[in-house]
């Protein structure tokens, strides 16, 4: 499926913008290198790779060889070495029952949108872990919100009235930061509401977790399009979250679509399939493993020839 204009990065939409020219300049420079390493793998983006390798289409433009060597992700800690309140709670939840909500290190929602999301989570009647970034604080300590604590009272206005009390049994709200890879890797987690940063995207896929794609800025909209329309491992709101508010009913509906609705089974199956293909591609004999081996071999060869020239 062709990339839609509304999904590309903002500077690409305005050819009079200085940023547009910068993007074009960068794009022209990339193929002048000796090789391009991509944090993807053959089965994840076959069409992209086909296009990049197409002699007629891009051959003139992109002469550099393209090496898909991904997924490169942070490894999770062993299950039995994860400690703390969060994992004690997760261990007690049913398999694939918890929705993990995080908008990355740079993402914050408006107050209004935070309230709608809170309602959406509550209405969905699913369990959740929500990493909330407080607009007022720069750096967080990963502490929990709970009803009655000093921190919560200063943040209470971010949530609907009584929210923290009502969700005590089903949800955890964490301030600013959480051990994301360890959470996504936990068997109790069954969905991820994500801003679709590439790390988060890969961490979700390699752990077989279906997504609700909630892109906020830069190339995240393109990632969201790939995940929903191309790969079918995510659903996304009908409007761009960057351009309007996603309502509570739609949030509830999206959560149900990746957890309990009929079509959830298909989404889950597709993401599991990608999880296995990700594991395969980086193991011996897999395509990413081979590609990286090839890069290593070629580096070794060129170093050798440089040494010869030097001596
Ligand atoms: C993405 O993950 C890599 C490690 O796999 C890390 O070095 C990098 O800083 C991360 N990027 C962001 C934006 O968090």
């Amino acid at each position: 499926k062709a990339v839609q204009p509304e999904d590309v990065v903002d500077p690409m939409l305005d050819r009079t913008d200085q940023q547009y020219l910068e993007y074009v300049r960068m794009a022209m420079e990339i193929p002048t290198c000796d090789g391009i390493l991509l944090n993807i793998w053959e089965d994840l983006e076959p069409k992209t790779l086909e296009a990049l390798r197409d002699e007629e289409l891009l051959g003139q433009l992109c002469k550099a060889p393209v090496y898909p060597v991904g997924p490169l992700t942070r490894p999770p800690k062993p299950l039995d070495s994860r400690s703390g309140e969060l994992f004690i709670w997760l261990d007690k939840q049913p398999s694939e029952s918890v929705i993990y909500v995080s908008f990355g290190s740079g993402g914050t929602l408006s107050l209004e949108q935070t309230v709608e999301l809170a309602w959406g989570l509550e209405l969905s009647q699913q369990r959740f872990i929500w990493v909330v970034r407080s607009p007022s604080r720069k750096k967080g300590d990963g502490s929990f919100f709970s009803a009655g604590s000093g921190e919560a009272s200063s943040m209470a206005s971010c949530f609907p009235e009584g929210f923290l009390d009502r969700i005590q049994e089903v949800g955890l709200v964490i301030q600013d930061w959480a051990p994301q890879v360890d959470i996504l890797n936990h068997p109790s987690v069954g969905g991820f509401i994500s801003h679709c940063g590439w790390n988060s995207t890969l961490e979700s896929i390699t752990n077989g977790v279906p997504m609700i794609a909630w892109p906020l800025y830069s190339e995240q909209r393109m990632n969201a399009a790939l995940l929903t329309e191309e790969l079918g491992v995510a659903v996304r709101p009908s409007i761009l979250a960057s351009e309007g508010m996603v309502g509570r009913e739609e949030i509830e509906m999206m959560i149900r679509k990746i957890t309990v609705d009929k079509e959830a089974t298909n989404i889950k199956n597709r993401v599991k399939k990608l999880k296995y293909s990700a594991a395969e591609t980086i193991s011996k004999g897999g395509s990413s493993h081979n590609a990286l081996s090839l890069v290593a071999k070629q580096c070794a060869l060129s170093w050798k020839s440089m040494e010869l020239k030097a001596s």
Side-chain angles (χ1 to χ4, degrees), residues 72-74 199:
L72 306 169
T73 50
R74 292 167 284 198
N199 278 353

Side-chain angles (χ1 to χ4, degrees), residues 39-168:
N39 192 7
I40 63 173
W41 64 102
E42 299 284 346
D43 290 344
L44 186 76
E45 292 195 62
K47 285 182 198 160
T48 310
L49 287 166
E50 196 187 319
L52 285 172
R53 288 163 175 156
D54 187 321
E55 290 283 322
E56 272 170 37
L57 200 68
L58 285 168
Q60 299 307 309
L61 202 65
C62 184
K63 289 217 173 70
V66 170
Y67 304 99
V69 298
L72 306 169
T73 50
R74 292 167 284 198
K77 274 194 210 149
L79 255 184
D80 56 12
S81 73
R82 298 173 205 173
S83 58
E85 202 183 326
L86 172 67
F87 291 103
I88 293 171
W89 183 82
L90 261 180
D91 285 344
K92 284 190 279 198
Q93 309 309 317
S95 169
E96 295 184 6
S97 70
V98 177
I99 303 290
Y100 173 63
V101 188
S102 172
F103 297 93
S105 45
T108 41
L109 301 180
S110 69
L111 189 60
E112 237 187 339
Q113 184 64 82
T114 304
V115 169
E116 284 305 301
L117 181 52
W119 277 119
L121 285 165
E122 210 180 327
L123 289 168
S124 78
Q125 298 184 305
Q126 303 301 306
R127 296 170 173 81
F128 63 87
I129 294 172
W130 184 4
V131 184
V132 179
R133 286 174 54 84
S134 47
S136 57
R137 287 164 37 132
K138 287 268 175 294
K139 244 188 148 158
D141 51 8
S143 60
F144 289 91
F145 282 114
S146 54
S149 77
E151 197 61 63
S153 57
S154 70
M155 286 287 292
S157 55
C158 291
F159 305 114
E161 182 138 19
F163 175 73
L164 291 173
D165 287 320
R166 288 194 303 276
I167 56 111
Q168 267 184 24

Side-chain angles (χ1 to χ4, degrees), residues 12 16 89 101-102 111 121 140 147 165 190 218 242 261 292-293 308:
M12 293 299 287
T16 63
W89 183 82
V101 188
S102 172
L111 189 60
L121 285 165
D165 287 320
S218 67
S242 51
D261 280 0
L292 196 54
S293 306
L308 282 177

